[in-house]
């Protein structure tokens, strides 16, 4: 499969799709693959096994780095030894250094400033306003003294969120200035205690987007995501992903294909195109979340990468591999995938209790797979004895099911959740915690 201009570098070890899935997708594209492994938190045995699998399939180099900011320099050195023709990654922490490496080496990719905009919720709002795409009210909060100005600029009800965050971490609805002041104080304290994000956080207060009923049948949330591929500015919309209702601000599920009517779907895709163009995305994948409001779709946020479970969903509904197409784009090649939907697929996540707890026991992954042949995959995130903390966003169970229609997929997912049981005790005392967790 090796052709001229086919040396691809994968940046792995910082989230996104699994390294195994990334290597499997790369096999469809080229046999010249180098890996930059950023995996300080990964057990050595796991890294060794991945490296062995890689060595059997590819020509290239395996490089390990502890400081991700060194990656662009590392790739310049690699390029001098073995010319690099493309750089791909799927983890949010590495998309900026990916862009910097692509720029240094003159490879297809987005400018670093475009990626910085995509990673900042306030910069996104500013860009969409400047482009005349949306006029959503927002105000940055860098310290508690900014609360009064933010309240005056945005009004209530509103949403408070980190400018740089993920998985709905510290996102909350606020109803008045007094509640905002309390939430800001708590958010700064929690953010500083969390090991996950920036040492100097900035928060964003923005207008609360009010959803509307866009579906002809019940069971869906009031927002969607749009999955797109961009080749030198040319946008191909791969799918509109329906969402299950939120648990507070925490996502609980995704469904493909969409059940929106044709007219509604066209509204969503038209607006998605305007948002992507306004953000300046030129290459790669985008995952855009849109609120379905009475006045039309409105941007919640855009990610300049593939959304978490999207690759699984796309393969389950029609067999296409969107990760392989992302790697083709990184090499400057056109996409090859066709994205039919021949069945329905539903990805479901189950959050833990909203307090610090210890997991005592749970239904095993093996038992769930045996009970439900419709499961494409199933993952229990933690073993008994694990401590779970609400300031570290994650789910205790994730799974994907398929069905011939959307109602059957929804029904199967509900049965899986009903079958799964877990036992917790709070870290503060040993009284049992009810599960499933109460709605947040």
């Amino acid at each position: 499969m090796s052709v001229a201009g086919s040396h691809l570098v994968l940046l792995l070890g910082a989230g996104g799709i699994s390294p195994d899935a990334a290597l499997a997708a790369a096999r469809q594209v080229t046999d010249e693959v180098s890996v930059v492994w950023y995996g300080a938190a990964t057990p050595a045995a796991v890294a060794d096994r991945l490296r062995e699998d890689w060595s059997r399939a590819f020509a290239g180099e395996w490089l390990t780095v502890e400081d991700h900011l060194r990656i662009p320099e590392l790739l310049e050195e690699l390029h001098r030894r073995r010319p690099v023709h493309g750089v791909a990654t799927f983890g949010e922490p590495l998309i900026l250094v990916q862009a910097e490496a692509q720029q240094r080496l003159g490879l297809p990719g987005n400018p670093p400033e475009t990626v910085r905009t995509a990673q900042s919720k306030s910069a996104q709002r500013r860009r969409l306003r400047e482009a005349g795409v949306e006029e959503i009210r927002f105000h940055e909060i860098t310290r508690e003294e900014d609360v009064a100005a933010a309240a005056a600029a945005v009004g209530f009800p509103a949403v408070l969120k980190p400018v740089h965050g993920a998985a709905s971490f510290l996102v909350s609805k606020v109803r008045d200035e007094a509640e905002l002041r309390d939430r800001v104080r708590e958010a700064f304290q929690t953010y500083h205690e969390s090991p996950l994000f920036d040492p100097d956080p900035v928060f964003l207060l923005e207008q609360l987007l009010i959803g509307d009923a866009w579906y002809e049948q019940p069971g869906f949330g009031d927002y969607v995501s749009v999955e797109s591929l961009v080749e030198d500015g040319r946008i191909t919309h791969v799918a509109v992903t329906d969402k299950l209702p939120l648990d507070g601000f925490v996502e609980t599920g995704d469904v493909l294909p969409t059940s929106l009517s044709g007219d509604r779907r066209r509204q969503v895709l038209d607006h998605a195109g305007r948002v992507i163009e306004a953000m300046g995305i030129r290459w790669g994948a985008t995952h855009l979340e849109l609120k379905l409001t009475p006045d039309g779709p409105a941007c919640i946020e855009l990610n300049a990468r593939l959304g978490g479970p999207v690759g699984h969903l796309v393969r389950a509904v029609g067999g296409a591999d969107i990760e392989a197409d992302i790697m083709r784009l990184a090499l400057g090649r056109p996409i090859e995938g066709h994205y039919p939907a021949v069945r329905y697929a539903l990805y479901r996540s189950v959050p833990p209790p909203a307090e610090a707890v210890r997991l005592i026991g749970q239904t095993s992954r093996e038992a769930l797979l045996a009970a439900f042949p419709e499961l494409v995959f199933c993952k229990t995130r933690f073993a008994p004895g694990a401590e779970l903390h609400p300031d570290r966003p994650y789910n205790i169970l994730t799974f994907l099911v398929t069905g011939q229609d959307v109602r059957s997929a929804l029904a199967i997912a509900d049965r899986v959740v009903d079958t799964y049981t877990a036992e917790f005790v709070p870290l503060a005392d040993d009284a049992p915690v009810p599960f499933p967790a109460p709605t947040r």
Side-chain angles (χ1 to χ4, degrees), residues 202-216:
V202 177
F203 286 84
L204 186 71
L205 186 72
E206 65 181 27
Q207 170 188 345
L208 178 68
L209 298 174
I210 306 299
D212 197 17
W214 279 43
Y215 292 90
E216 298 173 356

Side-chain angles (χ1 to χ4, degrees), residues 51-356:
R51 182 170 184 172
E52 184 177 347
D53 292 345
W54 161 84
S55 67
R56 288 196 296 264
F58 301 105
E61 297 186 27
W62 181 285
L63 308 171
T64 300
V65 65
E66 295 183 0
D67 179 2
H68 72 289
L69 297 178
R70 286 199 60 241
I71 289 176
E73 176 187 349
L74 200 66
L75 293 192
E76 284 185 309
E77 296 170 0
L78 174 62
H79 183 65
R80 287 193 286 271
R81 298 191 299 272
R82 180 190 292 264
V84 174
H85 304 109
V87 183
T89 193
F90 297 89
E92 182 71 24
L94 299 182
I95 61 173
L96 180 55
V97 292
Q98 173 199 23
E100 290 171 347
Q102 289 166 330
Q103 185 178 69
R104 290 191 192 190
L105 300 179
L107 301 175
N110 295 306
E113 188 54 42
T114 295
V115 175
R116 290 189 186 95
T117 297
Q119 290 189 316
S120 167
K121 295 178 176 62
S122 58
Q124 286 188 26
R125 291 289 182 221
R126 199 170 294 115
R127 178 67 60 83
L128 292 177
R129 178 179 290 179
E130 291 169 353
V133 175
E134 292 184 358
E135 292 288 338
I136 294 169
R137 300 186 302 276
F138 68 95
H139 196 281
E140 285 190 357
I141 298 176
T142 60
R143 54 182 184 164
E144 292 184 34
E145 289 78 6
D146 295 334
V147 165
V154 177
F156 298 98
V159 175
L160 179 70
K161 60 177 67 172
V163 166
H164 300 105
S168 303
F169 178 60
L170 293 180
V171 178
S172 60
K173 179 180 177 180
V174 288
R175 297 164 182 80
D176 54 42
E177 186 172 335
E179 184 180 17
L180 174 61
R181 197 170 299 277
D182 290 341
R183 291 284 181 270
V184 166
R185 187 177 303 112
E186 295 167 0
F188 273 111
Q189 179 179 347
T190 301
Y191 205 111
H192 282 302
E193 293 172 353
S194 169
L196 299 179
F197 300 105
D198 298 337
D200 298 310
V202 177
F203 286 84
L204 186 71
L205 186 72
E206 65 181 27
Q207 170 188 345
L208 178 68
L209 298 174
I210 306 299
D212 197 17
W214 279 43
Y215 292 90
E216 298 173 356
Q217 53 187 310
F220 298 105
D222 57 7
Y223 72 115
V224 297
S225 65
V226 180
E227 328 306 337
S228 307
L229 296 171
V230 189
E231 179 190 351
D232 198 17
R234 295 183 294 275
I235 301 169
T236 299
H237 297 303
V238 171
V240 176
T241 305
D242 294 335
K243 304 290 184 175
L244 301 187
L246 290 168
D247 177 9
F249 283 100
V250 177
E251 295 196 56
T252 62
D254 307 81
V255 186
L256 277 183
T258 183
S259 292
L260 288 173
S261 68
D263 288 344
R264 292 295 202 183
R265 183 176 179 275
R266 280 187 289 274
Q267 277 185 270
V268 164
L269 295 180
D270 286 347
H271 195 69
R274 288 193 291 272
V275 170
I276 294 168
E277 289 175 357
M279 294 290 187
I281 303 294
R282 300 288 302 173
W283 288 96
T286 62
H287 173 71
L288 171 63
E289 294 183 356
L290 296 172
K291 192 78 165 182
L292 306 175
T293 81
D295 299 320
C299 178
I300 299 173
E301 66 178 41
L302 177 138
N303 300 116
R305 56 167 173 78
L306 187 67
V310 170
H312 293 300
L313 285 162
V314 168
R315 273 189 299 276
V317 300
D321 194 325
I322 192 171
E323 289 106 336
D325 268 340
I326 291 169
M327 294 178 193
R328 292 184 182 100
L329 290 173
L331 290 166
R333 300 181 192 170
I335 63 175
E336 296 181 10
H338 300 283
Y339 295 91
V342 299
R343 65 185 65 83
Y344 282 82
L346 186 152
Y347 175 87
R348 185 77 175 265
S349 55
V350 178
E355 59 181 292

